[in-house]
Amino acid sequence: MRDEEKDQQVRPGWLRLALGALSGALAGFTALAVAELVAAAVRPQSSPVIAVGGASIDATPAAVKDWAIRHFGTDDKLVLQLGILTVLTVLALVLGVLAVRFRRAGAAGVLLFGAVGAAAAVGRPDSIGLADVLPSVVGAFAGALLLYVLTGRLTTVRRPPASRHEEVPEEAGAGLPASAGWDRRGFVLMAASAAAASAVVGGAGRSLNASRGQDAVASRDEVVLPRPGSPAEPVPARAALRVPGISPFTTPNSSFYRVDTALVVPKVDATTWRLRVHGQGVLRAATYSFDDLLRRELVERDITLTCVSNEVGGPYAGNARWIGVRLADLLAECGVKPPSRGGPADQLVARSVDGMTIGSPVEDVMDGRDALLALGMNGEPLPFAHGFPVRMVVPGLYGFVSACKWIEDMELTTFDAYDPYWVKRGWARRAPIKTASRIDTPKPFARPDAGTVMVAGVAWAQHRGIDKVEVRVDDGPWQQAHLATEDTRDTWRQWSFPWRATPGSHTLTVRATDRTGTVQTDRRTRTIPDGASGWHSVVVTVD
Ligand SMILES: Nc1nc2c(c(=O)[nH]1)N[C@H]1C(S)=C(S)[C@@H](COP(=O)(O)O)O[C@H]1N2
Ligand SMILES: [Mo]
């Protein structure tokens, strides 16, 4: 055993253990800061926290993910990253304490975390290969080295060789000057400079990461959406009711719900973007550039998008005016035929730049509905968070089986041959949107005054259309609500019901009937596997 290690046989006092923990935290911080900077050079998605986060999203059981979306909404990703950082902090503190006695093991522990991060990064579906290990590996080496050196200061005994044989009681040594046990000054100096350096490195990494994608931003700024050859009819004036608290008929981009697995929003440069079409029954495989799409006849349509994770009464539905190219035409150009006309492929698998796969029935996409490769949303190029430069939108299908954002590849295949991302995780292969209705106002537990209270909301049954909405007060009869003018059968429809409210507690319930005559079922189901069903009700107390 080496002398240095013999000195460590003295049981470290609480102060040194605490400083060990601090060393661990500093090493962890340094590792992440360095990783952040390296990730800025490689790509933001290769940073260990993002990679491990992405891997945990993919590995999370559907039920838990659904729970997270429900409880944290669009903040689910922030919560996940904070969770990872919390776990890492605890582990770093533990490693630091360990390293006071076992320096090499501590450093090796940091390297092990680097290996986990590196493995997660290369394992991501959008990995660009070995370069993705760099942030984790370089960061871990920096962290391991720092931990080794720092804990070295905690164990170095600075005494003249003669006094080596006298055992200095550890408890005394901890509080005494460096000569009595360990290099206190050296430790403080080194810890402080490491903290400062990491802050600078981490800050630089952050701002470099933020400035990445400038080309993509510039390419989006340059997009001028041409006038659509097939414009949408203006939204009928009476499609939007003037009821305070009702969802606006057209959802502004800034408040449009966002559901995806991307911890870093992909920033795709439209000038280099390409879309490939290939697979079974594709007679002429093709690749399209953004300009190719812009030059085609553009169609403009109002389509309401809905997420399968939307609970009864939930917020994950939004209505926008999309501009894009008709997907069916493009597929037909490539020689694709729907199954009903003898085509061999019944599933269209869209793949995004971040490796998401989304499968839609070829039959639905080509049955004459306005299935789009959308380039514009509410009068502007798609926002990055909503899929710039191009995404799919298919009226009548939940987003997870139709609305691929940041799309770059379309493969014609069969449902038998391939399960896309969500299907692998327990969701349905086919998922038409269920007829639904929602009370927007009054809010749950509102306390309106007795008298006439406007009950209002939206109802949707995309591609079938809404025919009727009814409201029930407590256990009373169903009463027909007033329906706003229909925009199209692919959009939601507002409704209102003037309620003569009497004092006391009341339950308001809503149900819709679609244009096929089907009444929204009261049977409550979970969102998994193909969307929640049941009636939305709201309890209010009238004063
Ligand atoms: N690339 C990619 N596309 C995606 C997703 C995703 O996670 N990644 N989520 C899908 C789901 S589940 C829904 S509901 C819609 C949501 O689209 P939005 O975020 O623009 O509202 O996008 C779909 N497209
Ligand atoms: Mo979704």
Side-chain angles (χ1 to χ4, degrees):
M1 198 180 277
R2 294 182 16 231
D3 283 349
E4 189 191 294
E5 281 167 353
K6 261 190 220 145
D7 286 324
Q8 292 175 41
Q9 300 304 309
V10 182
R11 264 194 80 232
W14 66 268
L15 178 59
R16 278 187 3 186
L17 290 180
L19 291 178
L22 175 68
S23 307
L26 274 174
F29 179 55
T30 301
L32 291 182
V34 170
E36 185 81 11
L37 184 62
V38 179
V42 181
R43 48 189 213 110
Q45 288 85 346
S46 64
S47 116
V49 175
I50 299 299
V52 170
S56 10
I57 289 179
D58 290 355
T60 305
V64 177
K65 187 151 23 196
D66 215 42
W67 174 87
I69 291 177
R70 200 154 61 240
H71 285 265
F72 307 120
T74 306
D75 289 336
D76 56 348
K77 297 187 183 77
L78 183 65
V79 172
L80 173 70
Q81 291 188 67
L82 288 177
I84 290 175
L85 286 177
T86 308
V87 170
L88 278 181
T89 305
V90 171
L91 291 172
L93 294 172
V94 171
L95 270 184
V97 171
L98 177 85
V100 174
R101 296 200 68 176
F102 310 100
R103 277 173 79 194
R104 298 215 182 125
V110 178
L111 292 179
L112 195 68
F113 286 114
V116 171
V122 282
R124 305 300 303 136
D126 57 344
S127 170
I128 54 167
L130 224 48
D132 279 333
V133 307
L134 285 174
S136 297
V137 169
V138 179
F141 269 104
L145 184 69
L146 180 65
L147 184 60
Y148 190 76
V149 173
L150 272 179
T151 47
R153 300 294 115 178
L154 292 177
T155 51
T156 305
V157 181
R158 283 231 190 121
R159 278 169 289 171
S163 63
R164 273 221 166 170
H165 304 287
E166 313 160 20
E167 283 291 321
V168 177
E170 182 56 28
E171 263 40 68
L176 289 177
S179 59
W182 49 278
D183 185 1
R184 195 177 193 175
R185 239 172 66 99
F187 178 87
V188 172
L189 262 175
M190 193 171 291
S193 14
S198 306
V200 172
V201 166
R206 284 254 122 153
S207 50
L208 270 174
N209 255 335
S211 71
R212 272 185 69 114
Q214 287 311 304
D215 293 349
V217 173
S219 77
R220 185 174 180 277
D221 289 343
E222 269 158 32
V223 173
V224 180
L225 292 172
R227 274 190 178 286
S230 169
E233 296 287 320
V235 175
R238 277 191 273 178
L241 302 175
R242 260 186 272 277
V243 179
I246 198 170
S247 304
F249 179 75
T250 300
T251 314
N253 290 352
S254 56
S255 49
F256 206 95
Y257 83 91
R258 178 186 159 205
V259 170
D260 56 55
T261 58
L263 284 173
V264 177
V265 173
K267 292 244 172 82
V268 180
D269 182 344
T271 61
T272 55
W273 173 88
R274 295 290 182 277
L275 173 66
R276 208 177 136 224
V277 183
H278 61 110
Q280 281 179 55
V282 178
L283 303 180
R284 293 167 291 277
T287 301
Y288 299 88
S289 70
F290 191 71
D291 279 338
D292 291 339
L293 297 188
L294 276 183
R295 276 194 293 268
R296 300 176 68 96
E297 186 195 68
L298 296 186
V299 300
E300 179 188 50
R301 295 292 181 267
D302 296 334
I303 299 167
T304 299
L305 206 66
T306 309
C307 181
V308 70
S309 293
N310 194 52
E311 292 286 325
V312 170
Y316 302 126
N319 180 49
R321 177 155 281 202
W322 309 91
I323 289 184
V325 309
R326 218 181 251 116
L327 188 48
D329 295 351
L330 189 131
L331 291 175
E333 237 174 58
C334 299
V336 176
K337 282 190 185 134
S340 61
R341 295 201 1 250
D346 61 359
Q347 183 178 216
L348 170 67
V349 174
R351 183 182 298 270
S352 70
V353 299
D354 61 336
M356 170 57 62
T357 50
I358 286 184
S360 321
V362 177
E363 198 62 55
D364 292 352
V365 167
M366 300 187 80
D367 72 356
R369 73 182 77 192
D370 294 313
L372 301 180
L373 280 173
L375 321 172
M377 181 178 183
N378 290 330
E380 53 169 308
L382 293 179
F384 286 107
H386 295 289
F388 181 84
V390 180
R391 75 173 304 166
M392 268 176 62
V393 177
V394 183
L397 304 182
Y398 284 117
F400 83 107
V401 288
S402 70
C404 189
K405 307 194 271 188
W406 316 291
I407 189 173
E408 66 171 5
D409 188 280
M410 289 195 295
E411 179 171 0
L412 278 295
T413 179
T414 60
F415 281 101
D416 281 343
Y418 184 76
D419 282 340
Y421 185 92
W422 298 105
V423 176
K424 285 197 188 92
R425 288 162 176 78
W427 298 83
R429 290 199 172 84
R430 297 168 185 266
I433 296 173
K434 295 180 178 176
T435 299
S437 51
R438 178 174 81 194
I439 299 171
D440 288 336
T441 180
K443 295 277 171 232
F445 311 115
R447 303 192 67 109
D449 289 333
T452 302
V453 172
M454 262 304 177
V455 184
V458 285
W460 61 80
Q462 289 92 318
H463 211 55
R464 298 182 298 280
I466 288 291
D467 192 43
K468 185 162 76 174
V469 169
E470 296 161 292
V471 173
R472 189 177 70 179
V473 181
D474 301 319
D475 293 325
W478 286 103
Q479 303 178 67
Q480 205 154 321
H482 162 72
L483 274 179
T485 305
E486 179 174 77
D487 179 21
T488 76
R489 61 190 177 136
D490 294 336
T491 58
W492 60 16
R493 207 163 166 184
Q494 295 185 343
W495 58 268
S496 66
F497 175 78
W499 169 42
R500 305 234 162 278
T502 54
S505 174
H506 296 288
T507 303
L508 303 165
T509 306
V510 66
R511 73 175 184 193
T513 303
D514 66 28
R515 286 208 186 283
T516 69
T518 308
V519 182
Q520 182 183 340
T521 176
D522 67 334
R523 204 171 68 86
R524 276 257 170 187
T525 59
R526 301 191 308 159
T527 55
I528 303 167
D530 63 355
S533 67
W535 295 334
H536 185 213
S537 36
V538 161
V539 176
V540 299
T541 305
V542 179
D543 287 323

